[in-house]
């Protein structure tokens, strides 16, 4: 292809993208470019550690053991909430978010800043569902590279999730029996 046809093709793609952004958002401000960038970053991240696994010849199981799936699920849940909602981790989110108030025991409600890329990153770091994709991928990589250390960390996160459930249950029982 010539430089002229490459330029026309690129311009058509830009026009098509702008049209897609306008028609998709229905006048709402949706950071589609940020989402696209985040998806690409996740793809690069996952492909990167997968390539290292392959280059190192690390064994990959035919299928994950059910216990590992359960442990990963609970650890992912707890670490995702710790990173995206906990008061103690708010300094990590602060460059991308604005404090709105408390939200549940030891958790915060924060809004993403609407300053370009900070909007998308702010959404990612305040959403436990969004964060869990990255956490589960990281824990999976950890299980392939450092299985003992990763399972130990996942065990601690699972114990923390269990302790949280017991704390909330205890508080609910106290409230119920004392009428407070």
């Amino acid at each position: 292809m010539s430089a002229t046809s490459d330029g026309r093709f690129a311009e058509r793609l830009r026009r098509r993208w702008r049209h897609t952004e306008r028609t998709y958002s229905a006048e709402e401000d949706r950071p589609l470019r940020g989402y696209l960038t985040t998806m690409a970053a996740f793809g690069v991240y996952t492909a990167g550690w997968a390539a290292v696994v392959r280059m190192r010849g690390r064994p990959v199981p035919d299928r994950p053991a059910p216990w590992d799936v359960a442990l990963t699920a609970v650890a992912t849940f707890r670490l995702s909430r710790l990173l995206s909602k906990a008061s103690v981790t708010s300094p990590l989110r602060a460059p991308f978010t604005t404090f709105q108030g408390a939200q549940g025991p030891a958790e915060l409600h924060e809004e993403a800043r609407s300053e370009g890329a900070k909007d998308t990153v702010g959404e990612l770091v305040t959403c436990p569902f969004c964060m869990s994709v990255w956490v589960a991928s990281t824990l999976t990589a950890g299980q392939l590279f450092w299985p003992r250390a990763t399972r130990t960390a996942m065990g601690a996160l699972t114990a923390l999730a269990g302790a949280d459930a017991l704390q909330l249950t205890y508080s609910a029982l106290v409230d119920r029996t004392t009428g407070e």
Side-chain angles (χ1 to χ4, degrees):
M1 267 202 254
S2 70
T4 306
S5 63
D6 285 348
R8 284 189 297 229
F9 179 72
E11 182 54 35
R12 282 197 318 263
L13 279 177
R14 277 192 289 278
R15 276 196 314 264
R16 183 72 182 145
W17 179 256
R18 284 192 297 271
H19 174 72
T20 299
E21 282 182 309
R22 279 191 313 273
T23 58
Y24 171 79
S25 67
E27 305 304 318
E28 293 282 327
D29 187 25
R30 300 300 308 149
L32 286 182
R33 288 181 193 192
Y35 295 155
L36 189 60
T37 302
T38 302
M39 287 172 32
F42 181 77
V44 168
Y45 172 68
T46 304
W49 67 252
V52 172
V53 166
R54 185 178 176 101
M55 286 183 342
R56 289 191 177 173
R58 301 294 299 188
V60 177
D62 290 334
R63 68 180 72 94
W67 173 248
D68 283 340
V69 173
L71 192 62
T72 303
V74 176
T76 296
F77 161 78
R78 190 62 198 104
L79 186 54
S80 296
R81 289 208 73 84
L82 180 66
L83 292 172
S84 64
K85 294 291 183 187
S87 300
V88 71
T89 56
S90 61
L92 301 175
R93 298 184 304 273
F96 310 102
T97 62
T98 303
F99 175 76
Q100 299 295 308
Q103 177 184 323
E107 290 191 344
L108 302 177
H109 173 67
E110 297 162 322
E111 292 289 329
R113 293 187 186 190
S114 56
E115 303 167 12
K118 287 186 178 186
D119 187 13
T120 306
V121 175
E123 279 191 48
L124 173 67
V125 299
T126 59
C127 172
F129 298 96
C130 305
M131 185 64 70
S132 67
V133 174
W134 291 80
V135 169
S137 182
T138 301
L139 292 175
T140 300
Q143 289 178 66
L144 294 171
F145 289 118
W146 310 282
R148 287 183 177 163
T150 302
R151 282 192 186 93
T152 300
M154 290 191 315
L157 288 163
T158 298
L160 182 58
D164 290 348
L166 291 171
Q167 295 288 359
L168 293 170
T169 302
Y170 178 81
S171 292
L173 288 172
V174 168
D175 289 347
R176 188 179 210 184
T177 58
T178 62
E180 294 177 12

